[in-house]
C-alpha cells in the first residue's frame, strides 16, 4: 500500500542551524502539507502546497520556514535558523484532492538543543 | 478563527462498554476528519465526513456529523483494548487545499 515516507525519523540540531526535513508523498497525490505536533499537544497546520506553490500557511510559518518540491517527487520543509521552540514532531501529508483525507507520514522528530 | 474542542480529553473505560467522544467546532465547515494516533506514531485516517447527517462505521467505531450543531461524535461500541489510542478530530477551514484545525485529542485507555 502506498505511503508517505519521511526522512530522517529523528534529527538533532543546534540552535541557529538550518535543517531540511524531507518527504516523499504518495505518487499520484497533488496536494502536500506540513503539520507539527509539539510533544503532548495538538497537531498544528503549517502549510499546504499545490501546483508548485503555497496555497495556505499559518502564522507559525514565518520567514524562517520554506517549502520546496525540487524534483517532482520530494517535498521538503526548511527551517533556516532553528530555535528551541521549533522542537516538535513534523508530519508531512499528501492528498489526492482537497476533499479526500490527507495521508500522513510517520513524522520527523526534530530536537533543537 | 476556527476553534475545535474535543471532550473528554482523557477517557478510561472498561472493555465491553460503550462511549462517545464529542467534537465541537466554532465556524461553518462541511468537512470533518477523525484520526487515530498511537504513542510516538503517525496519524491514521479513520473517517472523512463531508456532509450534514453523514454517518460512517468501521468495526466498533462510528462517526457522525451535524453541521448545523457544529458537532461530530465518535462512538465506540463494546470497546476492546486494541482501541486504546489518542483520537483527534480535525475540521477543514479552507476552500481549495485543506487546512485542518485539530482538536486537542482524546486519550482513550481501555482496561481489561
Amino acid at each position: 500500500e502506498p505511503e508517505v515516507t519521511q526522512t530522517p525519523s529523528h534529527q538533532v540540531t543546534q540552535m541557529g542551524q538550518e535543517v531540511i526535513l524531507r518527504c516523499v508523498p504518495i505518487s499520484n497525490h497533488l496536494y502536500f502539507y506540513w503539520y507539527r505536533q509539539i510533544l503532548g499537544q495538538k497537531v498544528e497546520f503549517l502549510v499546504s502546497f499545490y501546483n508548485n506553490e503555497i496555497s495556505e500557511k499559518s502564522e507559525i510559518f514565518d520567514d524562517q520556514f520554506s517549502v520546496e518540491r525540487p524534483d517532482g517527487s520530494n517535498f521538503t520543509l526548511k527551517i533556516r535558523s532553528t530555535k528551541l521552540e521549533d522542537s516538535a514532531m513534523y508530519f508531512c501529508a499528501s492528498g489526492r484532492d482537497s476533499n479526500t483525507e490527507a495521508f500522513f507520514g510517520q513524522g520527523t522528530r526534530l530536537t533543537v538543543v | 478563527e476556527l476553534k475545535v474542542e474535543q471532550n473528554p480529553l482523557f477517557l478510561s473505560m472498561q472493555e465491553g462498554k460503550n462511549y462517545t467522544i464529542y467534537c465541537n467546532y466554532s465556524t461553518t465547515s462541511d468537512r470533518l476528519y477523525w484520526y487515530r494516533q498511537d504513542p510516538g506514531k503517525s496519524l491514521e485516517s479513520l473517517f472523512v465526513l463531508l456532509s450534514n447527517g453523514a454517518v460512517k462505521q468501521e468495526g466498533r467505531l462510528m462517526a457522525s456529523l451535524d453541521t448545523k450543531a457544529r458537532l461530530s461524535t465518535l462512538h465506540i461500541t463494546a470497546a476492546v483494548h486494541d482501541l486504546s489510542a489518542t483520537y483527534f478530530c480535525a475540521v477543514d477551514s479552507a476552500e481549495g487545499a485543506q487546512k485542518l484545525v485539530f482538536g486537542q485529542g482524546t486519550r482513550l485507555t481501555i482496561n481489561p
Side-chain angles (χ1 to χ4, degrees):
Chain A
E1 188 174 326
E3 58 182 20
V4 177
T5 55
Q6 291 184 243
T7 54
S9 55
H10 191 188
Q11 171 108 34
V12 181
T13 189
Q14 287 202 321
M15 194 167 55
Q17 295 295 304
E18 174 183 287
V19 294
I20 298 177
L21 310 183
R22 300 179 194 281
C23 169
V24 179
I26 294 171
S27 64
N28 63 345
H29 285 185
L30 301 176
Y31 291 80
F32 313 110
Y33 311 91
W34 285 100
Y35 287 82
R36 79 171 186 191
Q37 185 180 32
I38 294 170
L39 186 64
Q41 298 187 23
K42 65 180 179 180
V43 180
E44 299 173 292
F45 171 84
L46 292 178
V47 66
S48 60
F49 191 85
Y50 169 71
N51 200 25
N52 282 322
E53 59 184 25
I54 290 173
S55 309
E56 293 273 348
K57 60 182 181 178
S58 71
E59 57 277 6
I60 302 168
F61 194 88
D62 61 21
D63 291 343
Q64 293 297 313
F65 290 87
S66 62
V67 289
E68 196 176 35
R69 195 147 190 259
D71 56 13
S73 63
N74 290 287
F75 179 52
T76 61
L77 174 69
K78 183 193 292 187
I79 309 174
R80 262 181 270 284
S81 177
T82 49
K83 302 189 276 286
L84 293 176
E85 53 265 37
D86 293 327
S87 295
M89 183 76 93
Y90 287 80
F91 291 107
C92 172
S94 70
R96 195 178 65 241
D97 59 54
S98 60
N99 282 328
T100 55
E101 71 266 49
F103 292 87
F104 284 75
Q106 78 279 23
T108 292
R109 181 170 297 285
L110 176 66
T111 303
V112 183
V113 297
Chain B
E1 181 192 341
L2 173 61
K3 291 190 191 317
V4 181
E5 301 276 343
Q6 283 181 241
N7 73 85
L9 300 184
F10 298 92
L11 178 56
S12 181
M13 53 193 290
Q14 284 187 312
E15 280 191 325
K17 300 289 186 185
N18 304 333
Y19 210 82
T20 301
I21 299 170
Y22 298 89
C23 174
N24 289 93
Y25 54 99
S26 60
T27 63
T28 303
S29 175
D30 289 336
R31 294 182 286 185
L32 189 139
Y33 305 80
W34 284 96
Y35 287 90
R36 168 184 171 144
Q37 186 180 40
D38 291 297
K41 304 289 187 185
S42 188
L43 295 154
E44 176 192 349
S45 175
L46 295 175
F47 299 108
V48 181
L49 302 168
L50 296 177
S51 60
N52 186 41
V55 177
K56 291 199 174 176
Q57 182 161 7
E58 181 74 34
R60 299 174 190 274
L61 301 178
M62 183 172 72
S64 66
L65 178 62
D66 180 344
T67 57
K68 292 186 176 123
R70 298 177 188 162
L71 170 68
S72 179
T73 60
L74 180 67
H75 187 72
I76 302 142
T77 302
V80 293
H81 179 70
D82 286 353
L83 291 178
S84 296
T86 299
Y87 292 85
F88 290 95
C89 65
V91 179
D92 193 350
S93 64
E95 295 295 322
Q98 286 181 9
K99 179 183 176 182
L100 297 181
V101 177
F102 281 77
Q104 313 95 307
T106 297
R107 186 177 298 178
L108 174 64
T109 304
I110 298 167
N111 304 304

